[in-house]
Amino acid sequence: MKRSITLALLLLLIVGVLAGCGRKKEATPEAVSPEAGLPASAMEIASSRGLSPEDINAALKTYMPSGKWDEYIMFASGGHSGQVLAIGLPSMRILKNIAVFTPEAWQGYGFGAKDIEEMLDAGNVDGRKIRMGDTHHPALSETEGDYDGQFLFINDKANARTAVIDLRDFETKQILKDPNIISNHGSTFVTPNTEYVIQGTQYATPLGWEYAPISEYQEKYRGVITLWKFDRDKGRLDPEQSFSIEVPPYWQDLCDAGKLVSNGWAFCNSINTEMATGGIEKGNPPFEAGVSQRDMDYLHIFNWQRAEEAYKAGKTEEINGMPVIRMDTAVAEGILYFAPEPKSPHGVDVTPDGKYIVAAGKLDPQVTIYSMEKIEKAIADQNWEPDPFGLPVLNFDAVNHAQVELGLGPLHTQFDNQGFAYTSLFLDSAIAKWKVGGDNPEDWVLVEKLPVQYNVGHIAAAEGDTVDPDGTYLVALNKWAVDRFAPVGPLLPQNLQLLDLTGDKLQVIYDMAMGVGEPHYAQIIKADKIQAWNTYPEVGWDPIAQAPSPYATKPGEEKIVRDGNNVEIFMTSVRSHLTPEHVEIKEGDHVTWHITNIETAHDATHGFQLGGYNISLSIEPGETVSFEIDADKSGTYAFYCTEFCSALHLEMMGYLLVEP
Ligand code: RUQ
Ligand code: CUA
């Protein structure tokens, strides 16, 4: 509704201005000037639609004239859709839905394309084909603690996997399975120069998810924090240079890497230091009660640089092919410390200057702030008590710097460039704005609270977790939408709300219904930091290898090659034909089929579907894609281009003739 108001209002404004200055073909319409004010027609629309001055402001702040580009791109997790969404800000237009862990037919992802199938299969578990996922926390690659616009990482909580997306083409390039854990959560978070992508376990299991009765929870169940080494030149995580740190079965939660003064350190929360094992059906306290008994859980503080040294010095044990720093080594090498943190901690976020670490406990109305300086002093002073595993728990008062009471259910914190922090309040359904103070704990105070609709989980601010936040926009990723949109049945869209951070007061300026879910974290980058390709660099490109494909086919060189029962097809696509158009094979043939889109024009993508064979491809300009089929039954099939690429697109087809 608001969107159509925005459009109507702005259309009228533009039409009014155009009418005044005379229409020229390529002239940009003149902007309204403050002296002239809004045209009377705009005021009429506003009053007939009952728009308040705030509504008009919001509309003007978010409307993007046709052809103009958004200032920011937000990468939002698509949750258990297994995808990542790229959304333009401030318009909140969905630009792309990037397939990651789940098949997606439009992008030709997981419907035959051979190297995509191989990549998806690399994420299989115990030989089982896994084609679902639960994406939570996207992380943009960073250089010196700032987004560099090159790569995006995303975790799959359900299967403990990590994926790499290349932002030259916004496509997934790699999926990696952690060999020791079955679910992750504190991932993905990058170190300031993307040396490593951090991944923490969520639910503890015996390593390698082997069987062990739950009665052996304390002895046998464990978590790990894995440091996946990133090879920027290859654009891949390198398992050969990656390692894990063993941690107690405390259910590690979100993480964040230190920066500037805290560079080298990283922080992960935990929620089940009770080591509760549930069993409501056996008369035991259910997990929800068992996990929330203690007043304090442990913030995990680990030094990834020291861990890297220990790994390189061979102080690891290989478990399921992964080098693991065991807990006793972590203690001996000064790698891992704990700090108590109140009441079911969830989010942990490092301030832009790297000096403070903000933890939010879901059942505590305040955020708890630790100072890196105090943590380092407590470590130097050995101001700690051991936990049941012998790991040092730092004295809370020695490391706690301040606490700020914000409201009910604080979860996640982001930052602006004016010295303020923003924390989502799940139970209050609000965003709290508070002052990031300095040495004096009294200076850390709540400034303002704004209701959002409803049950906000994560929030993302423009460049809001870098060393240099922008302070322009913040998006509340709400868990419930309830009454915000026209009814679409019992499964509701997610409600992403855009907030303007630049005014005297916080204001919600856009409600975006996101038709997939459930989004968790998002990151918002200045759009001009991303240098995406318009077309692939060369005709005959393999996007997974990001190199010329050995199966590239030039026009005039299309062919069908037979070798016994193996048939290889080299096909080209260009407006408006596929060559060859007759693919004549025999029942029982195994077919390897390569298609090269020989177009070099911007946006000249050809799709390809072969009905009856579950094949769906998207072949972008310059791309070569391969797939294989077994022609096990004679018949006549049609294949065709699925993108309406030209006036004669319907004619862009061919027949697969399988002779008995
Ligand atoms: S976690 S709110 Cu992964 Cu906060 Cu979703
Ligand atoms: Cu190519 Cu339609």
Side-chain angles (χ1 to χ4, degrees):
M1 184 75 118
K2 192 171 268 182
R3 180 149 182 80
S4 44
I5 297 169
T6 314
L7 287 172
L9 180 60
L10 266 292
L11 200 69
L12 246 121
L13 280 178
I14 289 164
V15 168
V17 172
L18 272 175
C21 67
R23 192 185 298 253
K24 269 190 246 127
K25 198 158 180 252
E26 274 168 21
T28 321
E30 218 174 274
V32 274
S33 69
E35 305 80 55
L38 290 179
S41 51
M43 298 310 292
E44 252 168 55
I45 292 173
S47 82
S48 75
R49 307 208 64 177
L51 301 182
S52 69
E54 289 75 33
D55 294 336
I56 296 171
N57 267 326
L60 293 174
K61 281 173 181 170
T62 54
Y63 173 70
M64 197 53 71
S66 176
K68 291 237 163 109
W69 297 355
D70 280 298
E71 189 184 353
Y72 292 96
I73 294 181
M74 171 166 78
F75 293 95
S77 77
H80 41 289
S81 76
Q83 305 167 338
V84 170
L85 279 87
I87 299 165
L89 261 62
S91 74
M92 301 298 273
R93 294 176 295 189
I94 294 181
L95 305 177
K96 200 168 202 175
N97 198 344
I98 306 169
V100 186
F101 296 108
T102 45
E104 204 284 318
W106 169 60
Q107 292 161 71
Y109 192 85
F111 291 93
K114 212 176 153 196
D115 39 13
I116 292 174
E117 296 293 342
E118 282 166 11
M119 182 183 63
L120 285 164
D121 282 343
N124 288 349
V125 178
D126 298 334
R128 284 184 289 268
K129 233 183 209 311
I130 304 295
R131 291 296 185 269
M132 46 67 84
D134 185 13
T135 62
H136 271 239
H137 315 114
L140 285 153
S141 57
E142 294 183 9
T143 300
E144 294 178 10
D146 210 352
Y147 304 147
D148 55 40
Q150 294 186 352
F151 295 93
L152 184 79
F153 308 94
I154 183 85
N155 70 311
D156 162 24
K157 167 168 161 161
N159 302 285
R161 300 183 298 175
T162 305
V164 181
I165 296 162
D166 189 329
L167 295 179
R168 285 174 295 186
D169 61 359
F170 281 55
E171 288 186 7
T172 305
K173 303 300 173 193
Q174 185 184 25
I175 292 175
L176 264 184
K177 169 82 194 91
D178 191 298
N180 282 315
I181 56 174
I182 198 67
S183 70
N184 67 26
H185 193 231
S187 40
T188 50
F189 296 91
V190 300
T191 55
N193 284 300
T194 325
E195 295 93 339
Y196 290 98
V197 174
I198 298 167
Q199 177 207 245
T201 308
Q202 178 101 86
Y203 304 120
T205 60
L207 295 183
W209 59 97
E210 309 276 318
Y211 173 77
I214 198 107
S215 56
E216 295 175 9
Y217 188 82
Q218 295 201 24
E219 308 84 77
K220 300 243 173 96
Y221 286 50
R222 290 292 178 271
V224 293
I225 291 164
T226 297
L227 290 149
W228 291 112
K229 178 79 184 159
F230 184 55
D231 182 334
R232 200 184 279 264
D233 292 336
K234 294 205 178 103
R236 293 286 189 279
L237 297 170
D238 181 1
E240 298 304 315
Q241 294 190 67
S242 303
F243 60 94
S244 300
I245 306 167
E246 178 193 22
V247 287
Y250 289 163
W251 292 9
Q252 286 70 33
D253 212 26
L254 283 141
C255 304
D256 199 8
K259 44 174 97 93
L260 301 172
V261 294
S262 51
N263 185 26
W265 293 93
F267 312 90
C268 300
N269 282 322
S270 64
I271 53 174
N272 185 16
T273 51
E274 294 85 353
M275 295 189 276
T277 52
I280 186 173
E281 69 289 352
K282 297 175 187 155
N284 299 334
F287 278 117
E288 60 176 330
V291 170
S292 318
Q293 292 166 67
R294 298 184 58 190
D295 282 340
M296 294 282 191
D297 287 294
Y298 298 144
L299 175 68
H300 294 33
I301 302 166
F302 67 96
N303 192 304
W304 59 266
Q305 288 176 340
R306 276 182 218 156
E308 181 185 50
E309 281 164 29
Y311 157 67
K312 287 188 173 157
K315 295 176 182 171
T316 53
E317 200 178 305
E318 191 151 308
I319 304 177
N320 298 310
M322 179 68 106
V324 179
I325 298 174
R326 306 287 333 215
M327 291 192 286
D328 51 355
T329 310
V331 174
E333 301 292 320
I335 291 169
L336 181 62
Y337 302 89
F338 294 146
E341 53 180 349
K343 298 303 271 176
S344 299
H346 186 54
V348 58
D349 299 278
V350 179
T351 53
D353 59 11
K355 286 186 182 168
Y356 302 101
I357 299 101
V358 180
K362 304 183 291 273
L363 303 180
D364 188 74
Q366 41 189 5
V367 281
T368 298
I369 295 106
Y370 303 84
S371 124
M372 193 64 232
E373 202 182 313
K374 290 182 180 171
I375 290 171
E376 283 183 316
K377 182 164 187 311
I379 291 172
D381 295 347
Q382 304 198 349
N383 191 351
W384 66 59
E385 300 282 339
D387 83 335
F389 298 89
L391 286 151
V393 183
L394 304 172
N395 178 310
F396 179 72
D397 294 326
V399 293
N400 172 229
H401 181 70
Q403 289 188 302
V404 190
E405 185 160 337
L406 301 179
L408 299 180
L411 296 185
H412 298 288
T413 300
Q414 292 275 287
F415 302 94
D416 71 9
N417 57 350
Q418 307 288 321
F420 294 103
Y422 302 83
T423 300
S424 52
L425 302 174
F426 178 80
L427 297 173
D428 271 353
S429 285
I431 306 298
K433 175 180 179 177
W434 51 280
K435 177 98 196 99
V436 177
D439 290 344
N440 182 358
E442 306 289 307
D443 295 342
W444 299 67
V445 286
L446 173 66
V447 178
E448 186 190 346
K449 268 160 83 166
L450 178 78
V452 288
Q453 290 75 32
Y454 304 94
N455 295 5
V456 56
H458 272 278
I459 50 176
E463 308 246 339
D465 60 6
T466 69
V467 292
D468 187 20
D470 279 11
T472 46
Y473 299 107
L474 182 135
V475 174
L477 298 111
N478 302 309
K479 303 296 184 190
W480 288 42
V482 195
D483 58 0
R484 307 319 280 181
F485 306 110
V488 290
L491 178 63
L492 270 61
Q494 309 292 319
N495 185 17
L496 272 54
Q497 288 180 305
L498 180 69
L499 274 66
D500 178 11
L501 299 184
T502 61
D504 301 336
K505 287 264 169 224
L506 295 174
Q507 190 195 356
V508 172
I509 55 173
Y510 200 85
D511 275 27
M512 172 202 172
M514 182 163 134
V516 296
E518 168 193 295
H520 291 266
Y521 191 38
Q523 286 190 334
I524 302 169
I525 180 174
K526 262 294 222 306
D528 60 11
K529 284 185 174 178
I530 298 176
Q531 306 292 320
W533 291 330
N534 282 338
T535 59
Y536 281 109
E538 279 180 42
V539 170
W541 194 260
D542 173 351
I544 296 286
Q546 294 290 39
S549 164
Y551 307 108
T553 307
K554 292 202 174 78
E557 295 178 4
E558 299 89 350
K559 59 189 172 188
I560 299 179
V561 184
R562 173 175 289 278
D563 174 12
N565 276 349
N566 290 316
V567 177
E568 198 162 7
I569 299 162
F570 296 85
M571 180 176 268
T572 60
S573 66
V574 69
R575 279 163 290 170
S576 304
H577 51 270
L578 293 150
T579 309
E581 294 184 332
H582 297 167
V583 174
E584 291 163 318
I585 56 168
K586 297 210 161 43
E587 186 178 334
D589 282 346
H590 177 78
V591 182
T592 308
W593 194 319
H594 314 287
I595 310 176
T596 299
N597 178 350
I598 58 173
E599 304 262 5
T600 52
H602 196 180
D603 207 3
T605 294
H606 299 289
F608 179 93
Q609 289 191 331
L610 172 57
Y613 276 94
N614 205 36
I615 300 296
S616 181
L617 313 175
S618 172
I619 320 164
E620 282 96 65
E623 183 174 353
T624 297
V625 187
S626 306
F627 66 94
E628 288 178 57
I629 54 169
D630 283 308
D632 46 11
K633 195 178 166 300
S634 65
T636 305
Y637 301 84
F639 54 81
Y640 64 95
C641 169
T642 45
E643 293 266 337
F644 213 113
C645 52
S646 70
L648 297 175
H649 147 81
L650 289 178
E651 290 77 359
M652 194 168 174
M653 67 82 66
Y655 284 104
L656 170 67
L657 301 142
V658 186
E659 196 185 325

